[in-house]
Amino acid sequence: MPNVVFDASSIVGAALKKDSTPEWALLLARSHTTIRLSLAVESEIHAVLQRPKFRKYITDADRGRILDILGAAALRFEPVERVTDCRDRKDNKYLELALAAGASILCRAMKTCWSSTPGGASVS
């Protein structure tokens, strides 16, 4: 199983709907210990899940369950190379992590930025 980086939107999707494609992807990656996180990515995921607009849809229990799944099997990397390929510069952190972790899959809910990582590795 290849190394996987999840963006915040895919984690929100997993938290919003049990048995959804984002949740299945997260569970599959966890079962193969292929999840990769950086401090910046993990912080954003936590912050996004705490947004008031999601509070009425995501219970504290579901939020905790998803964060436990994400963090339990993740290996942490801290990117050293800066990336500026994304239209939304806040998304560069995901490409930086993918590059640092040697990830070949970037799991995202929205198609706004990536067709490949820096260096040409394909991401989905």
Side-chain angles (χ1 to χ4, degrees), residues 12-73:
V12 167
L16 285 171
K17 188 173 181 188
K18 288 184 181 179
D19 295 323
S20 63
T21 299
E23 185 187 42
W24 292 343
L26 181 61
L27 293 170
L28 179 63
R30 180 185 180 214
S31 70
H32 292 284
T33 318
T34 61
I35 299 170
R36 303 303 185 244
L37 282 176
S38 66
L39 181 60
V41 167
E42 191 169 22
S43 295
E44 179 170 14
I45 289 169
H46 280 263
V48 169
L49 287 173
Q50 292 293 334
R51 288 182 182 164
K53 68 180 179 181
F54 295 126
R55 289 189 185 269
K56 62 182 174 181
Y57 304 109
I58 303 172
T59 65
D60 288 341
D62 285 339
R63 185 179 302 104
R65 181 181 64 82
I66 290 296
L67 291 173
D68 286 347
I69 291 168
L70 181 67

